Structure formats: C-alpha cells, structure tokens
Amino acid sequence: MELQFDTKTCISLAVLGFIGLLQLLYNALVAKPRRLRSLLSKQGISGPPPSLLLGNAMEMKLGQSTAVKAHTGEPPVSHNCAASLFGFFDKWRKQYGELFTCSLGNSQILFVTQPDIVREITTCTSFDLGKASYQHQVLGPLLGQGILTSNGAVWAHQRKILAPELYMEKVKGMVNIITESAITVADSWKSMIETQGGTADIKIDQYMRSFSGDVISKACFSSNYSKGEEIFLKLRLLQEAMSKYGISIAGQLPAMRYLPTKGNREKWALEKEIRNLILEVVKERTTVDANEKDLLQMVLEGARDSNLSQEETDRFIVDNCKNIYLAGFETTAVSATWCLMLLASNQEWQERVRAEALSVCGGGIPNADTIRKMKQLTMVINESLRLYPPVTIMSREVFNDMKFGDITVPKGVNIWTMVCTLHTDPDIWGPDAFKFNPDRFENGITGACKLPHLYMPFGVGPRVCLGQNLATVELKILLSLILSNFAFSLSPKYTHGPVLRLVLEPEHGVDLLVRKL
Ligand code: HEM
C-alpha cells in the first residue's frame, strides 16, 4: 500500500521533525551540561559562566597556536613552552581553584590539578572510569574501537594481548631495526650537508616522522613492512583530514559527523582504503601461513582466540593496528623534534650530551647496552617531555557516579587532568619551572619535583603508555646518533609555535642549521 500525504501533512511532519531536532540539540548542548554543572556546584565546584550552545568553547580556543610569529634564531623564551597554550586554563584556575568546571559542546568538564585527587583519578582501576566517549565519537575514524578508545573488559583484553609485545625484553630485540632507521636519517642529512656546502638548513619534522614511521612499520608488520608504510601514510592523510575537518567543536555535534560533507567523504574514503589494506596483509598471512612474530601477529592471534565473529575479528585487527600507529608514531616523532629544538637552543647542553654519547659509544653505533649508560641524555629527554609533552590533556569520563576525595563526580562528567600545567607549576618544580634545566632530573623523577606522580608524559596508573620502553629506546638511539655526527643550531627560519593537534606539534615545524662534525 502506498502512503500519500498532502502538502499540509508534509509541512506538519517537517515542522515536527525540526522541533524534535531542536529538542535533541537543546538536551545535548544545554540541558545535560546544565544538570551536571548544577550537581557539581552543589558541592562547591564552580567555573566560568557558559554561553548558550557552545558553553565555554570560544574562550578555550583549543588547538590554536601561540606562535611567536617572527623568530630570529635565538632560543624561544621560557613562557612560550607548551603551557602557554593553556592560558585560559591558568586564568580560570586562579579564579576558581584546583577543581573547577566548564562546558565544551555537549561535554561538561571537570578540571583537576589538586594533587591528591589527580592521584586518585590516575590510579583508579574501576571500569566506571574510562576513556571519554566524545573521544571515541570524534576520533572514531582514526581509532575505531581499539585499545586507546575502549573501556572495561574489551580494553583489558586488548591490553593483555599487546602488553607483552612491548616489554623491555622485546624492545631490545628491536634495537637493530631502530638503529637502521636512525642511520637512514643521518645519511640523508649528510648528503644534504654535502650538496649545500657544509651546512644544511633542514626542516627536521619529516625526518623524525620517517624515522618513527619506519620503526613502527617494521615492529608491527615486519616482512609486510612496505605495505605497512603505505597503511601508515594513508593514516597520516586521514589524521590530517580529521584535523582539518573533524577535531573541532563542530566535530562534537553528532549530526555533523554523518553529513556527506567534503571532509566526511574524504574521511570515509580513506577509512575504507586503510581497512582494505590491513585486511589484505592479514589475508596474505593466513594463506601463506607466515611465521611472523610481530605486533600484527599478536593482534591476529589475540583476535582468533577471542571467539569473535568474522566481522568483529576484522574490526579488532583493523582498529588495533590504527591505534598502534597513532599511539606510537606521532608521539615519538614530535618528542624527538622538540628535544632537538631544545638542544639547538641550548648549546651548552648539546655539547654535554654529545660528549657523553661519544664517550659511551666511542664513536660507534649506539646499542641496547650503551644507551642505558647515557644518563645526561635521559635527563634531557625527561626535561623535554616535561616542557613539551605530546599528550597534553589526560581525559576520562565517569560512567557511574564516583567519589574522589570528598567530591562525588556525577555520571557523564569528563575529567581533564592538565598535564602541561602540572609539568610547569612553580609550586611543584620550583621557581625555574618554565626553564629548560635537565639538571633537575639528576636524581631521577623523584629528585626533580615535590610530587613525582604529577610528572606524567607517559600517563600513570592502569592505562600508562604501553610503548614507553620502545619510545625511550627509539629517542635515545636517534638522538645519540645525531649528536655524535652533527652540530646544530636553530635556523633563522624557525618560528616557534606549539600547537595542539592530535598531539602537541610545532605548528611551523622545526628548522635547524646542521653541519657535520
Ligand atoms: C614519546 C612517545 C610517547 C608518548 C609521550 C606517549 C604517551 C602516552 C600517554 C600519555 C598515554 C596514556 C594516555 C591516557 O592515559 O589517556 C599513552 C598510552 C598508550 N601508548 Fe603511548 N606514548 C608514546 C609512545 C608510544 C609507542 C611507541 C607506543 C607503541 C607502539 C605506544 C603505545 C601506547 C598504547 C597502546 C597506549 C594505550 C594504553 C592503554 O590505554 O591501556 N606509545 N601513551
């Protein structure tokens, strides 16, 4: 039977639909945050007054760089470290204290820098506290339902599968591939220096990316490594498309994610290509009966042992490959980039760490044994991760009312722990908190600050970074090799501008003047 509506009915239905949509938007953007705010304010937690619909989003300007536009090559002044991105937060903290709340789109955020509550939150093992669902909604195409976005039993299962593959013993077995990739970077710099007459002006970001992409492709895909590189290249494109179109306030509105806009169409096409490429590698392995022992194989076996349907198995594999990429690729690349920027602008430290690398390695290639002995280099890496932590906000969502200290945090609230602020708080680090001073780590993290649990470049607690060992070994090998072969300073082209994309990046890249030693 065919239904027929007259014009009047059609108009009424359209009006009803429109009212329904407005109602949904009102509930998500106004009523829900208002209810959560009022529950928090009854406990004495206040915050800046939100504007209608966008909450406090306009004041936060997340993602905007505080670039020092013209740079003449001298070291970036201390207040331009990553913490300067969160000026809005410091202003509010002064006004409202160590626990305050604000609204962002349809999320009600509880900002926490109160040390005891930070400890309780970061070490909490309850499944009632997990990765914020807005992260999953906004980053969905990039991460799917892999370890970074999953919660509860699904997350615990994924972590159990991946963790043993990233233990220090396994990482030691990856030293050769890491060294190979570092040598490739050094060789290309040497030939640039030769062709440019002794000193090359190099934008280093792309080299750091190739290095960490190379390592993670080999660790993850071993013999299928070239296909791995293709996959990671497409993931990078997807990430760029997401930054361009998705990681914005608009991306938090559910309707925006499903409209066939140019950005969404680009995202969907890339997502499909990535999925097909990963599943091709999986198919090759299952038909050729490959005997690989890499991260992909662990994910594959983990999926097979989990009694999942074919579709669930495919999703498990695809999503976790994407997660390893995102977790291990950009973070390590930007950490190396920031570290070199800091060494370029602190020549004294550059010389100190070079002297250590040359004396420990005797001019040879670094290995698992020698990098362990590089104490000064460890101090520099720690200090660089303090001032420029790639992950600047640790966010969690409360899935059921939870109690932290005296506060009951209602279900639905997002908790943000502000890593940059904690890493540069003069009450914790002393009056030189904004300065690059690796000496503070001479006696490790406990010697460097009053409250070591507030130093968290790799996170803390049950969800601490699984790739911490791999990342540290990668950074030490790459940096010691570069320091043993080259001297470098900031190029006059360099413009300092930390910017918050998926990770904390230098907006204009890092340009160095490099000469061979
Ligand atoms: C310098 C480089 C890196 C930094 C700064 C870093 C930082 C972090 C941080 C802060 C977290 C915790 C996020 C949270 O609690 O919300 C995390 C989680 C994670 N990282 Fe890393 N990471 C780095 C490199 C790597 C590498 C090389 C890998 C592996 C290939 C990796 C794999 C992971 C995984 C799988 C998780 C999720 C753990 C979980 O949720 O259980 N990371 N990372």
Side-chain angles (χ1 to χ4, degrees):
M1 190 181 70
E2 202 178 307
L3 280 179
Q4 284 197 345
F5 297 113
D6 57 25
T7 319
K8 224 165 133 189
T9 318
C10 285
I11 292 173
S12 313
L13 283 174
V15 170
L16 277 178
F18 184 65
I19 292 172
L21 190 68
L22 283 183
Q23 177 87 48
L24 271 176
L25 273 177
Y26 178 81
N27 282 343
L29 295 174
V30 182
K32 178 190 149 204
R34 189 177 281 172
R35 184 178 54 79
L36 294 175
R37 236 183 356 260
S38 126
L39 287 169
L40 290 169
S41 94
K42 280 184 193 143
Q43 302 176 71
I45 299 172
S46 58
S51 64
L52 197 68
L53 295 180
L54 284 180
N56 303 95
M58 299 314 279
E59 294 143 279
M60 293 169 80
K61 294 186 187 140
L62 276 183
Q64 279 192 20
S65 152
T66 50
V68 180
K69 288 296 175 200
H71 200 280
T72 49
E74 70 270 17
V77 280
S78 52
H79 64 264
N80 283 319
C81 79
S84 60
L85 278 174
F86 300 103
F88 71 90
F89 172 78
D90 291 332
K91 193 181 89 191
W92 287 341
R93 186 161 83 135
K94 275 194 196 104
Q95 201 173 343
Y96 302 105
E98 286 175 319
L99 281 175
F100 66 87
T101 185
C102 88
S103 318
L104 178 65
N106 63 351
S107 309
Q108 188 63 26
I109 317 243
L110 175 64
F111 287 99
V112 181
T113 42
Q114 209 276 317
D116 290 338
I117 306 230
V118 170
R119 188 198 307 272
E120 277 193 49
I121 289 163
T122 47
T123 55
C124 173
T125 51
S126 164
F127 285 172
D128 284 341
L129 188 71
K131 285 296 174 90
S133 44
Y134 77 82
Q135 269 186 338
H136 179 238
Q137 287 156 11
V138 177
L139 300 176
L142 202 55
L143 295 173
Q145 291 166 26
I147 184 168
L148 290 172
T149 46
S150 295
N151 286 314
V154 175
W155 160 74
H157 177 61
Q158 288 168 337
R159 188 156 173 119
K160 209 168 133 202
I161 292 167
L162 291 177
E165 285 314 295
L166 291 160
Y167 287 162
M168 199 44 160
E169 277 316 301
K170 290 283 168 98
V171 171
K172 278 188 188 157
M174 298 178 197
V175 164
N176 284 347
I177 58 170
I178 299 172
T179 318
E180 262 172 41
S181 308
I183 291 174
T184 311
V185 174
D187 286 348
S188 41
W189 285 15
K190 279 179 192 160
S191 50
M192 282 174 85
I193 291 168
E194 251 168 53
T195 49
Q196 291 183 34
T199 304
D201 196 329
I202 306 178
K203 192 172 273 301
I204 62 167
D205 311 59
Q206 200 44 50
Y207 292 93
M208 300 302 109
R209 282 211 182 92
S210 323
F211 165 76
S212 95
D214 217 42
V215 172
I216 202 81
S217 299
K218 285 175 184 159
C220 198
F221 289 94
S222 47
S223 67
N224 305 89
Y225 147 77
S226 55
K227 183 135 307 143
E229 292 231 306
E230 202 184 333
I231 294 166
F232 290 142
L233 202 78
K234 296 244 183 280
L235 275 163
R236 170 78 195 165
L237 291 178
L238 178 58
Q239 186 191 338
E240 280 167 9
M242 299 270 305
S243 290
K244 225 172 14 177
Y245 305 109
I247 316 290
S248 62
I249 291 131
Q252 295 216 24
L253 300 177
M256 296 300 285
R257 291 194 295 272
Y258 302 109
L259 291 178
T261 56
K262 183 166 173 269
N264 279 342
R265 287 201 311 273
E266 201 178 306
K267 274 191 293 187
W268 295 332
L270 280 165
E271 254 189 289
K272 198 167 158 197
E273 276 183 71
I274 292 160
R275 182 188 150 86
N276 290 345
L277 279 168
I278 295 174
L279 291 178
E280 260 173 48
V281 180
V282 172
K283 199 166 159 206
E284 258 172 56
R285 288 208 178 178
T286 31
T287 47
V288 175
D289 194 21
N291 190 23
E292 304 284 4
K293 274 283 163 232
D294 52 18
L295 276 164
L296 174 65
Q297 197 61 27
M298 289 308 108
V299 174
L300 264 173
E301 285 167 20
R304 271 191 214 129
D305 297 342
S306 308
N307 282 335
L308 301 171
S309 69
Q310 188 56 50
E311 206 196 312
E312 285 166 336
T313 306
D314 289 353
R315 191 177 336 126
F316 184 96
I317 295 164
V318 170
D319 290 355
N320 275 300
C321 285
K322 287 175 168 182
N323 279 231
I324 291 167
Y325 158 82
L326 185 81
F329 170 69
E330 289 287 344
T331 45
T332 314
V334 293
S335 301
T337 306
W338 286 124
C339 212
L340 287 170
M341 185 282 284
L342 286 165
L343 284 171
S345 40
N346 293 275
Q347 290 292 322
E348 186 209 323
W349 270 101
Q350 191 184 131
E351 275 155 33
R352 268 172 80 170
V353 190
R354 176 176 302 113
E356 180 186 68
L358 289 171
S359 107
V360 172
C361 301
I365 307 290
N367 59 40
D369 226 25
T370 51
I371 55 167
R372 248 188 333 111
K373 296 182 188 148
M374 294 186 200
K375 190 178 166 199
Q376 309 258 337
L377 181 57
T378 311
M379 285 154 56
V380 165
I381 293 172
N382 283 345
E383 181 69 341
S384 176
L385 288 171
R386 181 181 77 82
L387 291 170
Y388 295 92
V391 181
T392 51
I393 299 172
M394 220 73 77
S395 66
R396 295 285 184 271
E397 183 170 334
V398 172
F399 301 123
N400 271 312
D401 292 3
M402 292 187 84
K403 210 162 164 59
F404 296 108
D406 294 337
I407 310 290
T408 300
V409 183
K411 174 182 168 179
V413 164
N414 285 286
I415 300 179
W416 282 15
T417 306
M418 304 300 281
V419 179
C420 277
T421 308
L422 293 172
H423 279 191
T424 49
D425 188 337
D427 288 343
I428 301 166
W429 299 90
D432 67 345
F434 287 96
K435 279 220 174 97
F436 176 74
N437 173 20
D439 268 332
R440 74 178 84 243
F441 285 101
E442 174 146 33
N443 296 313
I445 294 160
T446 35
C449 64
K450 284 189 199 144
L451 301 163
H453 72 283
L454 301 183
Y455 178 66
M456 51 175 90
F458 292 101
V460 216
R463 294 199 77 137
V464 70
C465 175
L466 273 180
Q468 183 168 353
N469 292 327
L470 175 59
T472 315
V473 170
E474 280 184 72
L475 289 173
K476 284 187 175 175
I477 290 183
L478 178 70
L479 295 171
S480 56
L481 198 82
I482 289 179
L483 284 158
S484 315
N485 283 280
F486 307 99
F488 48 91
S489 56
L490 283 182
S491 154
K493 282 190 199 156
Y494 176 62
T495 299
H496 186 67
V499 67
L500 198 60
R501 295 198 176 119
L502 277 179
V503 291
L504 182 78
E505 291 182 22
E507 184 175 20
H508 312 281
V510 169
D511 304 88
L512 298 184
L513 293 177
V514 187
R515 69 179 169 79
K516 209 165 152 299
L517 284 173

